[in-house]
Structure formats: structure tokens, C-alpha cells
Amino acid sequence: DDGSDFVMQTLSATAGCVAPQSINMLPDGTAIWLGRDGFYAYTGGAVQFLWADHQALALEHVSARLEKAHAIYEPRTREYRCWVPVRGSTLPNRCYTFTGASWRWREDTVARGACVAGEDVYVAGKDYEGTEGYWVLEKGETASLQTRIRTAWLTPSDPFRRSYFRLYVRLRETAKDTAADRTPTRVLT
């Protein structure tokens, strides 16, 4: 192949991927994905198991729902983030974050999907209180507090609807973690 087309290549016969949406590429060309027993990376022509120190956490994964896991690469913080269903959840409710050297996790969002646009991380799902919505999970450093969202999700089924939609916006400071930081703010749009 001359490289102009998509090429499929087996990276490993033993380290499978249980969730295609968990695959993500880092800027250095490293591919990361979720396997049945944890996370793997392909770099330098070899597959590495990244999860050796955290296999106890993999026991909490809902194996029948792992195909719902999905990941993003956040270029501002240079982090790989993957949402995985744990402890009986039908949706991904734990977000694992890999910095390139270490892992951490959070459980404040049940994410049906996530994406990165510019410097912002968007998540569709539920927040820690169970409120369904489309969330700006992380804002870029240069961004203002204003965010514009254009989506078909907020399109009314009735074209003659005259009332406003309610959009919940959660403001949370990441440098500290208090109850006040986790309180959603309701905004009419």
C-alpha cells in the first residue's frame, strides 16, 4: 500500500480490544485501548500492558457492557481519558485518565459519549446528581465562561414550540473539590 488508503493491521494476537471507541492515538503515535483485563498501548512496534498495577480495578468493570466504553485524548492536558461501566452500571460511569506516566479516575459523570472541540471537553450523559444533559466537562485555559452549543439534540420535535429549553451547566473548579463546586447551575437558553 502507498499509505494513501486506510490499512488494517493486527497489532497483537493476545491483547484484544473490547471497545472500539476506547482506541485513541497520542501525539507521539502511541495507540491506547481497553482490553478485557485493562489498558494496553502499542508503541515502538510492541504492545505494552499499562494496567499491571491496577488489575483490582478491572474486577469492577461490567464485562457485558465493556463495548460501551469510549475515550478521548485531551490535547490541552495531554491526557487519555476513557469512560468504562463499573459496579453494575449499564453506562460508562468511571473515567480513567492516563497522563503518560500515571493513572487516576473519577466517577462524577455517567457518559454516553464524549468529544473534544478546541480546548473544551464535552460529555453527553448524566452528572453526579443524575441530571441528563450535555456537559462542558472541562474548559480550556484561554476560554471565557461563555460556551455556545449547537446541536440537534436541542431541536424541538414540535416546530411551533414557543417555550425555552432548560440547559444545565455544571461549574466545577478542578483545583479544589468542595460541595459548592459540584452544584449545577441552571441556565435558560
Side-chain angles (χ1 to χ4, degrees), residues 116-130:
V116 176
E119 294 183 336
D120 302 338
V121 176
Y122 296 91
V123 173
K126 296 180 183 179
D127 72 350
Y128 60 93
E129 291 181 332

Side-chain angles (χ1 to χ4, degrees), residues 4 12-13 34 47 54 57 59 61 100-101 109 111 115 138 160:
S4 62
S12 172
L34 176 64
V47 174
H54 307 288
L57 290 174
L59 297 175
H61 296 172
T109 307
C115 69
E138 304 285 344
F160 300 105

Side-chain angles (χ1 to χ4, degrees), residues 75-144:
R76 183 178 59 84
T77 59
R78 296 185 174 122
E79 295 173 336
Y80 166 86
R81 298 181 188 183
C82 185
W83 282 266
V84 178
V86 296
R87 294 189 309 270
S89 179
T90 58
L91 294 170
N93 59 334
R94 179 179 289 166
C95 176
Y96 293 107
T97 302
F98 182 58
T99 64
S102 64
W103 290 90
R104 65 180 187 277
W105 53 274
R106 62 196 281 177
E107 291 185 354
D108 60 346
T109 307
V110 177
R112 296 180 187 274
C115 69
V116 176
E119 294 183 336
D120 302 338
V121 176
Y122 296 91
V123 173
K126 296 180 183 179
D127 72 350
Y128 60 93
E129 291 181 332
T131 305
E132 281 281 344
Y134 183 68
W135 307 97
V136 179
L137 189 63
E138 304 285 344
K139 291 290 290 177
E141 292 177 1
T142 59
S144 69

Side-chain angles (χ1 to χ4, degrees), residues 43-65:
T43 185
V47 174
Q48 298 175 335
F49 185 56
L50 300 175
W51 205 242
D53 296 336
H54 307 288
Q55 285 196 282
L57 290 174
L59 297 175
E60 296 181 25
H61 296 172
V62 181
S63 58
R65 304 274 187 206

Side-chain angles (χ1 to χ4, degrees), residues 18-61:
V18 294
Q21 291 184 29
S22 72
I23 302 170
N24 227 297
M25 295 291 291
L26 305 183
D28 67 359
T30 300
I32 298 181
W33 67 91
L34 176 64
R36 183 136 323 268
D37 55 348
F39 292 92
Y40 290 87
Y42 179 79
T43 185
V47 174
Q48 298 175 335
F49 185 56
L50 300 175
W51 205 242
D53 296 336
H54 307 288
Q55 285 196 282
L57 290 174
L59 297 175
E60 296 181 25
H61 296 172

Side-chain angles (χ1 to χ4, degrees), residues 1-18:
D1 183 38
D2 65 1
S4 62
D5 295 324
F6 178 78
V7 176
M8 288 186 57
Q9 178 182 354
T10 301
L11 300 180
S12 172
T14 58
C17 178
V18 294

